[in-house]
Amino acid sequence: MSTSAAGRPLRVAIIGAGPAGVYAADILTKSQEVQGGDFAVSIDLFDQHPAPYGLIRYGVAPDHPRIKGIVNALHKVLDRGDIRFLGNINYGRDLTLSDFRKFYDAVIFSTGAIKDAELNIPGVDLEGSFGGAEFVSWYDGHPDVPRDWPLNATEIAVIGNGNVALDVARVLSKHADDLLATEIPDNVYAGLKSSPVTDVHVFGRRGPAQVKFTPLELRELSHSRDVDIVLYPEDFDFDAASEQQIASNNQTKTMVKTLTNWLVDDEPTGASRRLHLHFLHSPVEITDSRETPGKVANMRFERTELTGEGTVRGTGEFIDYPVQAVYRAIGYFGSELPEVGFDSRRGVIPNEGGRVIDQAGAPVPGIYTTGWIKRGPVGLIGHTKGDALETIGFLLEDRLNLPPAQDPSENAIIDLLTERGIRYTTWEGWLKLDAHELKLGANFVHDGGTNTELVRERVKVVPRDEMIAISRDE
């Protein structure tokens, strides 16, 4: 092994400190080879944000019930002290692949997928047409998106039948005061508080048995105060493939039962807001109007029908819905990274099981990938762990032949960051920022006085410079 001859730990850089990166680091440190003393490992976990956790901090709705559990698990891993976190470092700008090659024996890319997948229909560029991922970044307080969001529509269309679509629709339809108990930043609360929305419509191309929701996320819709859920009998069609899916998959069975119960049992309560769930609708065109040229005014869909095999075809029947905003939540897409290959069709780094490959299909020595930038934006946390396990398995298999770092000392990368004037953050810095956000929550004052009934766990800090300054005691 290249490192054993020198009597030093294997140096590994992981770029991306979301769940995929943290799980990869954790699995490597707990591997039989490391635990058994075959070799030692030294891991640095990098992220472009000043804070860790990636998509868990900046890509999941703040009222999601699973956030706290996932964050606690990631915190325990990073708080052990055997994995070093270095934040506010932009790969390709602050550090290049050549830099990482110099200081590390292996590099793992776990940068995820943060862009919106494209929806190629006429009118998608009209004012009022938004990417769902952009909106998620806004309400999650991402430091690199605008502070304000144009929430002036009374009727809104959300395109997609996955969990992100449900998150977007729930946040849009929920009363802002009911989100105060979460960590939403003050600017997000103010924006949502001013929203005049009355109706949010969620559209899926296929039927109720083909949705990509998960049961927990679906049931969350019914927990919103003063929001009626509206469904339509004509959307509930089940072909042979649907019936088979319902019979063989407990998750599908649960969701179809929930939807059917809502259809049959839920009477309108006269709530001030309504969340409509539509199925068998394929988006055709977004249009403006004479009164509001250049702005979203209408969304046209073609009704679809199931083919008997779980897929759908158009019926030739078109329906128009008056809406003033459209949110496209049809999936995420990966971003190309400098000096690393990219599959522009799938939005991933070309790889075989996590080994990054070149244009000829040969593995690039010492370069690996995991998470959504490896496999695409599919799967939940369990998939991410399995994904990291596969990648780390190949890294362990390759460890005897990794190209050795020129300067593997742990301080070398710190010296370079300091030399370049990069205001990097650390795990200790995150603990300071974490404590600051918790204190903001504890000191929260609402409507001019202390609200004894409202407990805020934290208030998220948004500006990047403020996050850095708090983390670095500047």
Side-chain angles (χ1 to χ4, degrees), residues 421-438:
I422 297 168
R423 298 164 69 206
Y424 67 89
T425 59
T426 64
W427 178 248
E428 293 73 25
W430 159 246
L431 294 179
K432 294 173 186 176
L433 178 58
D434 184 39
H436 179 81
E437 292 185 344
L438 291 170

Side-chain angles (χ1 to χ4, degrees), residues 13-16 20-21 91-92 96-97 100 106-112 337-340 349 354 356 366-374 391:
I14 301 177
I15 303 171
Y91 170 78
T96 66
L97 184 58
F100 283 102
V107 181
I108 303 173
F109 288 95
S110 58
T111 51
L337 299 167
E339 301 182 79
V340 184
I349 296 173
V356 173
I367 307 296
Y368 302 86
T369 185
T370 190
W372 281 3
I373 197 64
K374 167 189 172 183
T391 295

Side-chain angles (χ1 to χ4, degrees), residues 192-241:
L192 292 172
K193 181 72 172 176
S194 68
S195 171
V197 66
T198 59
D199 293 83
V200 177
H201 299 261
V202 182
F203 295 94
R205 193 171 59 88
R206 297 195 290 175
Q210 288 82 40
V211 296
K212 299 298 183 182
F213 313 144
T214 48
L216 178 63
E217 282 73 13
L218 180 62
R219 286 194 294 265
E220 281 183 62
L221 297 183
S222 64
H223 299 160
S224 295
R225 177 186 61 85
D226 190 38
V227 179
D228 277 342
I229 298 175
V230 184
L231 297 105
Y232 299 86
E234 61 270 25
D235 291 345
F236 282 72
D237 187 23
F238 302 96
D239 61 0

Side-chain angles (χ1 to χ4, degrees), residues 412-424:
I413 188 67
I414 300 299
D415 291 341
L416 179 64
L417 293 171
T418 303
E419 177 186 322
R420 292 182 178 175
I422 297 168
R423 298 164 69 206
Y424 67 89

